[in-house]
Structure formats: C-alpha cells, structure tokens
C-alpha cells in the first residue's frame, strides 16, 4: 500500500471549508425549529414530535450516502456529487421553511408545510455533511488526520456561531423581530436567506478546489479487496463491528438525547426564566429566541476552547467522561439562573461536553475500524448512534414534560441526568494504548 502524501494546510482547509456553510444551515435549524413551530401555534407538549424528522432523515440518508459513495466514481469525484446535490436542495428549502406562516395557510396546513420542508432540509443537510468526513478518511494520511479533523471541528464551530447569532444580528440592525400571530419574524427569515447564500458559496469553493483521486490512484492508497467490498451488507457489517463501535454508541445514546432536549426546550425555558413569559405571540418570547442563538453561540465558543484543551489529557477516557460531567453540571444550572448574561457560564460548560461529543466518538471508532474496510458505510451506520437517541428522545419528550409538570425548564434537569449516565458509560470503553 502506498503512503498517502502529506497535504499542505490549505489543501486540508479546502477539504473541509464547505462544512462551514453546511454548519450554518444546521445551526439555524437547531436554534430556530422549536421557535418556528411554536410561533406557528404548536403546543409545547408536541414540540418534541417535530424534532423526530431530522434524526429520522439522518438515520436513513447517511448510511445510504456512505454506501453509495463508496461505489460511486464520476469525473467529479466519488463523494463530491453527493455533497453538491445535498447543498443545492438545502439552499432551496432554506428559502421556503421560514415562510411557512406567510403563505396564507391555516395553522394545520402551515405546520404540515413546515414539516415537509424540515424533512427535506434535514435530508439535504445530512447528504451534504457526510461526504466531508469521508473525504478526510479517503485522502488524508494517519499522521495528518488529527490536524484535518481539528480544522473540520474549527469550521464546524465557526459556522455554528455565525448561524446562531444571525437572528440577533439582524434584529440589531433594524430588521423586525416581531410579526403577526402565526407568522415567522423577518429576522429569522433573513437569517435563513443569508445562510443559504453562504452555504452554496462555500460548497462551490470546496467542489472547485478539491480533486478526488481517480479509482486506480484511490485503490493504491486505500487497498480493500473488491470481493470484501461487495460481499457485506449493513446487517453483516453491524454483526462484525468491533465492540468499541457499540460501547461508544451507548455513550452517544445518552449524550444526543440530552442535546435533543436542549434544542427543543431551551427557547421555552429562557423565555420563562429570564423574560417571564410563555406567550409565543409576545415580543419577550421572540427576544428570548434571539438570545437562545447567542447562548448556543457561547456553547460553540466554549467547545472551540475546550477542544484545544482536550489533547492535553493523557487519558482519553477520562477526558471524555470529565467533559460530559461538566456538561451535565451546566444543564443542571440553567433552570436556576434568571440573568441572561449569567447563563453564559452553564452554556460554556455545555460546550465542553459538545467538544468531546464531536471529537472523541469518531476518533475512537475510526481507530477501532482500521482494517475492516467499508469505512463510508461504517461511518454512515455509526451516525445511527446520533440519530436513534434523538428519535427516542423526541418521541418521549411530550410525555416526560407532562410528568415534570409541563415546566419546560425542568427538561434541562432531564438533560443533565442523561449526560451523567453517558459519562458513566464511558467507563465500559476499552482503548488501545
């Protein structure tokens, strides 16, 4: 097997630059979906059900994209065609989704329109996101992988910050943050428009700069027998997966369920605890919605800072577990804080958990998968450990909220408990020295 060549910093940067735009789209979705559907008229007990679609699309799309792109060879590359098509669809849907309340539809029709748009948005984001992880696996040698994923992590968090602050920024420059009942404010609509423009520009940059290896050259650097590639299906791959795949998956289950509740209920929590309102038609609720974007941006910044600290830990398992414990403490503090600025502290702690969730699982699993082949398919299947817990959490969210007295801030305690459970599961993982 030929050794993959070292790539310059800018070649590594170009491999992942489009991820910046994709992450802006993902951040806009994460921070604003509950706000959008609450504004359209959704009951708080039903909010989590709207969140079932995004991970459901992820669990369907990502293994398919991974498997198909493993076998795709075109003059444009093997991963890039999926990246480009996914981004193009995402741009179209980002221009439609925030207008669900502006088309003169009834409340139920507007929600159905929003649901369909959300389904296509998350499908396309997943289709665009997956190839970036695979491009690094395909084209970067082992020595530079840590650097490549660090660049990808930086672009991921930078895109998140931009997407999160857009509604606050557009409100600050004079775009209206209030609208008629059932209509999404212009500050949110313009956030999606500008995010869509940045997304397509970033993806066009990556597709113009990155040239994937043709089949012959690819096989010289990534030799896997053709018989082995063709013989296995998803069930066989899962059956033969290393134990680390499943143990990290157990940690993922609790972590991603916790963050699902953060995305779903933070808007209602902050509106109640800091603005003293649960009325979705009030200006206070929309101001809280903008501030949630700022808090999520603080979380992303905390993630960037903590990502630089994580390599200093000699024990990977301890670093993983400690990060999740910090995040659990952060979630537990949120309901007790009534000052919007003091909330920066718990969200910085939550950012520590997020940094570990982005870095540790894929590092542990890709190391365990060395020599197994089917890397694209395995990474697509591993994304099921991100999607399944979100589906389960979304399906149970309304019932748990009712048990907790229909107070949305109490869902932050639920998120704290889940992260602590995830931290305990880290103890089961065996790592190679």
């Amino acid at each position: 097997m030929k050794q993959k060549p070292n790539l310059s910093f800018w070649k590594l940067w170009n491999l992942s630059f489009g991820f910046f735009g994709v992450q802006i789209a993902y951040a806009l979705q994460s921070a604003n979906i509950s706000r959008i559907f609450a504004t359209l008229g959704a009951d708080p007990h039903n909010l989590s059900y709207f969140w079932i679609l995004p991970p459901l699309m992820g669990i369907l799309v990502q293994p398919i994209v991974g498997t198909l792109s493993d076998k795709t060879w075109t003059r444009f590359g093997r991963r890039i065609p999926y990246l480009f098509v996914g981004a193009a669809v995402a741009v179209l849907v980002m221009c439609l989704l925030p207008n669900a309340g502006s088309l003169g539809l009834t409340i139920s029709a507007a929600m159905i329109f929003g649901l369909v748009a959300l389904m296509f948005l998350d499908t396309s984001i997943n289709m665009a996101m997956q190839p970036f992880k695979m491009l690094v696996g395909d084209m970067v040698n082992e020595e530079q992988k840590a650097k490549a994923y660090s660049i990808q992590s930086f672009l991921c968090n930078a895109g998140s910050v931009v997407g999160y602050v857009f509604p606050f920024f557009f409100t600050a420059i004079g775009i209206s943050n209030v609208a008629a009942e059932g209509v999404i404010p212009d500050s949110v609509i313009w956030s999606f428009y500008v995010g869509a423009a940045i997304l397509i520009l970033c993806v066009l940059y990556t597709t113009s700069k990155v040239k994937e290896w043709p089949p012959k050259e690819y096989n010289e650097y990534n030799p896997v027998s053709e018989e082995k590639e063709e013989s296995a299906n998803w069930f066989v791959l899962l059956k033969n997966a290393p134990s680390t795949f499943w143990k990290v998956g157990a940690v993922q289950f609790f972590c991603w369920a916790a963050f699902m509740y953060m995305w779903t209920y933070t808007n209602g929590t902050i509106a109640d605890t800091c603005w003293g309102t649960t009325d979705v038609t009030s200006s206070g609720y929309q101001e809280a919605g903008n501030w949630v974007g700022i808090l999520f941006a603080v979380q992303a910044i905390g993630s960037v800072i903590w990502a630089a600290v994580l390599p200093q830990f000699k024990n990977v398992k301890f670093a993983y577990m400690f990060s999740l414990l910090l995040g659990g403490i952060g979630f537990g503090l949120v309901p007790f804080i009534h000052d919007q600025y003091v909330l920066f502290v718990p969200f910085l702690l939550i950012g520590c958990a997020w940094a570990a969730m982005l870095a540790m699982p894929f590092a542990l699993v890709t190391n365990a998968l060395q020599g197994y082949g089917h890397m694209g398919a395995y990474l697509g299947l591993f994304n099921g450990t991100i999607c399944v817990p979100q589906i389960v959490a979304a399906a149970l969210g309304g019932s748990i909220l009712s048990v907790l007295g229909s107070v949305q801030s109490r869902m932050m305690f639920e998120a704290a408990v889940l992260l602590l459970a995830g931290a305990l599961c880290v103890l089961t993982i065996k790592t190679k020295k």
Side-chain angles (χ1 to χ4, degrees), residues 72-406:
T72 295
W73 298 102
T74 73
R75 65 189 184 93
F76 301 106
R78 94 192 285 221
R79 314 293 188 187
I80 284 177
Y82 296 91
L83 162 62
F84 188 80
V85 171
V89 175
V91 167
L92 174 63
V93 180
M94 287 175 74
C95 295
L96 294 174
L97 174 59
N99 288 296
S102 307
L103 303 175
L105 303 173
T106 62
I107 293 177
S108 58
M111 287 192 184
I112 292 172
F113 178 89
L115 274 173
V116 173
L118 177 60
M119 180 182 70
F120 278 102
L121 177 60
D122 208 77
T123 300
S124 56
I125 288 176
N126 276 292
M127 191 173 179
M129 190 180 293
Q130 189 72 352
F132 287 106
K133 300 170 186 174
M134 298 175 187
L135 283 171
V136 172
D138 288 347
M139 302 182 69
V140 179
N141 62 38
E142 294 302 315
E143 182 183 342
Q144 289 191 303
K145 267 189 181 177
K147 185 177 182 180
Y149 280 121
S150 295
I151 292 170
Q152 196 167 99
S153 180
F154 169 79
L155 290 166
C156 169
N157 284 295
S160 294
V161 170
V162 172
Y164 288 145
V165 303
F166 265 169
F168 184 88
F169 170 76
F170 285 121
T171 301
I173 64 174
I175 295 177
S176 177
N177 193 47
V178 293
E181 185 175 353
V183 177
I184 312 304
D186 286 345
S187 58
V188 177
I189 293 175
W190 276 100
S191 296
F192 275 80
Y193 287 170
V194 175
I198 296 174
L199 167 59
I200 198 63
L201 289 173
C202 290
V203 168
L204 285 172
Y205 176 87
T206 289
T207 54
S208 67
K209 293 290 185 179
V210 175
K211 304 299 178 187
E212 295 186 72
W213 291 322
K216 183 179 178 181
E217 191 174 357
Y218 174 86
N219 289 330
E220 290 176 353
Y221 292 116
N222 301 275
V224 178
S225 71
E226 192 172 319
E227 178 183 355
K228 187 177 179 183
E229 285 285 359
E230 294 295 332
S231 62
N233 59 40
W234 292 350
F235 296 104
V236 173
L237 292 176
L238 290 173
K239 180 182 177 182
N240 295 330
S243 62
T244 300
F245 182 98
W246 297 106
K247 290 176 179 178
V248 175
V251 181
Q252 292 272 84
F253 182 89
F254 293 108
C255 293
W256 285 93
F259 274 79
M260 169 58 76
Y261 290 142
M262 181 192 80
W263 294 322
T264 307
Y265 298 108
T266 298
N267 208 114
T269 295
I270 303 308
D272 184 16
T273 58
C274 291
W275 271 265
T277 182
T278 56
D279 180 7
V280 298
T281 64
S282 66
S283 61
Y285 187 89
Q286 298 300 337
E287 287 176 24
N290 285 354
W291 197 249
V292 167
I294 298 297
L295 293 175
F296 285 3
V298 168
Q299 173 213 310
I301 293 168
S303 178
V304 171
I305 296 170
W306 193 246
V309 175
L310 282 175
Q312 308 307 315
F313 287 92
K314 293 182 179 180
N315 188 313
V316 174
K317 283 174 58 175
F318 176 77
Y320 197 3
M321 183 173 65
F322 182 58
S323 301
L324 299 183
L325 288 173
L326 290 177
I329 293 169
F331 277 125
L333 290 173
V334 169
F336 296 107
I337 297 174
H338 303 286
D339 184 292
Q340 65 192 85
Y341 296 100
V342 178
L343 281 168
F344 289 171
V345 174
F347 277 89
L348 283 170
L349 294 176
I350 292 168
C352 296
W354 184 246
M357 287 167 59
L358 289 179
M360 299 296 187
F362 279 95
L364 292 167
V365 169
T366 53
N367 285 339
L369 287 173
Q370 293 302 316
Y372 277 72
H374 302 279
M375 184 63 77
Y378 264 120
L379 289 183
L381 290 168
F382 186 68
N383 272 285
T385 66
I386 295 174
C387 301
V388 170
Q390 292 181 69
I391 294 170
V392 173
L396 297 176
S399 300
I400 294 173
L401 180 62
S402 295
V403 170
L404 296 177
S406 299

Side-chain angles (χ1 to χ4, degrees), residues 9-85:
F9 171 83
W10 289 111
K11 286 187 177 180
L12 294 173
W13 176 272
N14 293 341
L15 273 179
S16 296
F17 183 71
F19 208 93
F20 176 78
V22 174
Q23 199 61 30
I24 288 176
Y26 190 71
L28 285 168
Q29 173 187 289
S30 300
N32 292 287
I33 290 304
S34 285
R35 178 182 183 180
I36 287 173
F37 283 104
T39 301
L40 291 175
D43 183 276
H45 295 86
N46 298 329
L47 273 181
S48 65
Y49 302 141
F50 296 104
W51 283 91
I52 291 177
L53 275 176
L56 182 61
M57 291 301 101
I59 201 171
L60 293 174
V61 172
Q62 294 195 19
I64 292 173
V65 171
T67 302
L68 291 179
S69 65
D70 280 344
K71 302 174 183 178
T72 295
W73 298 102
T74 73
R75 65 189 184 93
F76 301 106
R78 94 192 285 221
R79 314 293 188 187
I80 284 177
Y82 296 91
L83 162 62
F84 188 80
V85 171

